[in-house]
Amino acid sequence: MATQHFLTLNDLDQPTHFQVLSRAAALKNVHQQRRPVLSLPQRVLAMIFEKSSTRTRVSFEAGIHQLGGTAIFLSPADTQLGRGEPLSDTARVLSEMVDAVMIRTDRHDKLETFAQYSNIPVINGLSDSCHPCQLLADLQTMLEKFGQLADLKVAWIGDGNNVCQTYCEAAGLFGFDLVIAGPSAYQPDPHWVALGQGRVQFSTDPVAAVQGAQVVTTDVWASMGQEAEIRERRAALAPFQVTESLLEKASDEVMFLHCLPAHRGEEISATLLDDPRTKWVWTQAGNRLHAQKALMEYLILGQISEIGCNL
Ligand code: CP
Ligand code: NVA
């Protein structure tokens, strides 16, 4: 059987996503009861980080540990990758030693190359193109509050970056409506918009975009690798800051999401994360742990595990 990777959301079909998310909810419940689930004993996850991370690193490392396995953190500075060993060779070597690899990198095609030579599942921990693990947690959080994804209205405010592009993909896969409000110079790539299958619309007016939205979300104005552009980005994106008063214009039941890290005074107002309507952001961050545990089980075991969750 072909190795199942997770480089984009569309690597899994919609029914499988819902099974993973349902397992994630069960794992969260068991975790909150402090009951152990040892579904991946002695399994090893290698984590290659070519960019910084707090949430992705901690959630994968804690997650595999909680399931009975262990993680190895690899940075280019400390491995032969940083001295030019090809990804294809590294992929073949790690396939002999560990059970899955998570990679955070810049160019998405590096992930594709790695996966092409890997006999073990490769997980995208963020690329310049997309961040599917983030969306798993966001979808889990939306399901917790709204019980469904289809026909929700989601407003993305700001930069059409890697996370925004993954929202486009998710809109097509799960059938929610996505309105993107941002400057024309910072729109998502048409490839990702097309994956939205007609569910993605654009607006230049953030107030119009959030009208009736159950979910309002945003992300930093300069992603990792774009720091040198911050002055021009601040100028173009200033009208697209999410504030308390913008949330007033959304649905009464609005949920604010942010993948974090947040830059107060840029994409969000200085006090937004103190507003009760934004408290789901912390649940969203925590759901990285549960969603990725379910994902690792599925990819490594080749099926949705039921271990430890027969409540
Ligand atoms: N949201 C997210 O991926 O955070 P980190 O960069 O801290 O991993
Ligand atoms: N768009 C951000 C997301 C960080 C989790 C970046 O790529 O830096």
Side-chain angles (χ1 to χ4, degrees):
M1 214 176 80
T3 305
Q4 175 71 66
H5 302 297
F6 188 66
L7 307 189
T8 70
L9 282 181
N10 275 309
D11 283 345
L12 306 184
D13 60 19
Q14 196 212 66
T16 306
H17 269 291
F18 276 119
Q19 286 181 302
V20 169
L21 291 168
S22 163
R23 172 68 175 171
L27 286 170
K28 179 172 183 172
N29 191 355
V30 171
H31 179 78
Q32 288 173 339
Q33 298 173 37
R34 312 305 306 172
R35 286 170 45 196
V37 174
L38 299 177
S39 52
L40 296 177
Q42 303 200 20
R43 303 302 182 114
V44 181
L45 173 74
M47 306 188 300
I48 299 174
F49 279 95
E50 296 192 328
K51 292 180 173 183
S52 307
S53 170
T54 297
R55 280 145 287 269
T56 304
R57 178 176 177 183
V58 175
S59 53
F60 270 109
E61 191 160 339
I64 189 121
H65 178 75
Q66 289 165 9
L67 296 175
T70 192
I72 302 173
F73 174 82
L74 301 167
S75 84
D78 310 317
T79 62
Q80 300 290 5
L81 275 170
R83 297 180 60 250
E85 184 167 17
L87 287 171
S88 50
D89 290 358
T90 308
R92 286 179 284 198
V93 170
L94 292 186
S95 295
E96 300 287 328
M97 297 179 177
V98 302
D99 299 281
V101 186
M102 188 244 74
I103 304 175
R104 168 167 284 195
T105 188
D106 43 20
R107 287 196 345 254
H108 192 77
D109 64 286
K110 288 194 196 171
L111 279 160
E112 292 170 340
T113 301
F114 199 102
Q116 189 186 336
Y117 289 93
S118 174
N119 293 327
I120 53 172
V122 178
I123 301 171
N124 178 358
L126 180 145
S127 70
D128 287 348
S129 300
C130 60
H131 195 0
C133 289
Q134 182 64 52
L135 258 287
L136 287 186
D138 292 19
L139 296 166
Q140 185 180 348
T141 312
M142 290 186 219
L143 282 171
E144 276 181 38
K145 180 164 164 67
F146 299 111
Q148 63 171 82
L149 301 172
D151 298 326
L152 288 178
K153 178 178 174 185
V154 178
W156 176 277
I157 311 297
D159 185 25
N161 64 14
N162 46 4
V163 179
C164 177
Q165 293 186 159
T166 324
Y167 265 90
C168 293
E169 190 182 12
L173 193 48
F174 296 98
F176 61 77
D177 292 313
L178 177 66
V179 181
I180 298 171
S184 55
Y186 297 106
Q187 299 292 327
D189 185 286
H191 164 78
W192 296 92
V193 176
L195 293 176
Q197 299 181 44
R199 289 285 189 161
V200 183
Q201 292 185 322
F202 293 90
S203 171
T204 50
D205 177 3
V207 174
V210 302
Q211 211 134 49
Q214 287 97 356
V215 180
V216 173
T217 184
T218 187
D219 187 13
V220 291
W221 288 346
S223 287
M224 290 179 277
Q226 299 172 332
E227 291 81 359
E229 302 170 19
I230 189 60
R231 279 176 59 132
E232 62 210 68
R233 286 175 164 273
R234 274 190 194 127
L237 285 150
F240 299 94
Q241 184 182 75
V242 180
T243 60
E244 289 88 330
S245 64
L246 185 66
L247 286 189
E248 291 295 335
K249 309 290 192 307
S251 159
D252 289 344
E253 51 178 356
V254 67
M255 160 194 266
F256 175 74
L257 296 178
H258 191 312
C259 64
L260 304 176
H263 289 188
R264 291 167 174 82
E266 291 189 2
E267 78 278 3
I268 57 166
S269 61
T271 49
L272 189 75
L273 290 184
D274 304 322
D275 186 298
R277 288 170 299 179
T278 67
K279 67 177 196 297
W280 284 94
V281 162
W282 315 114
T283 305
Q284 173 192 14
N287 282 343
R288 295 290 305 275
L289 175 72
H290 312 297
Q292 289 160 198
K293 284 165 80 171
L295 176 72
M296 286 190 285
E297 286 184 344
Y298 177 69
L299 296 177
I300 293 173
L301 300 175
Q303 60 185 22
I304 301 292
S305 175
E306 292 180 1
I307 295 170
C309 288
N310 45 342
L311 300 169

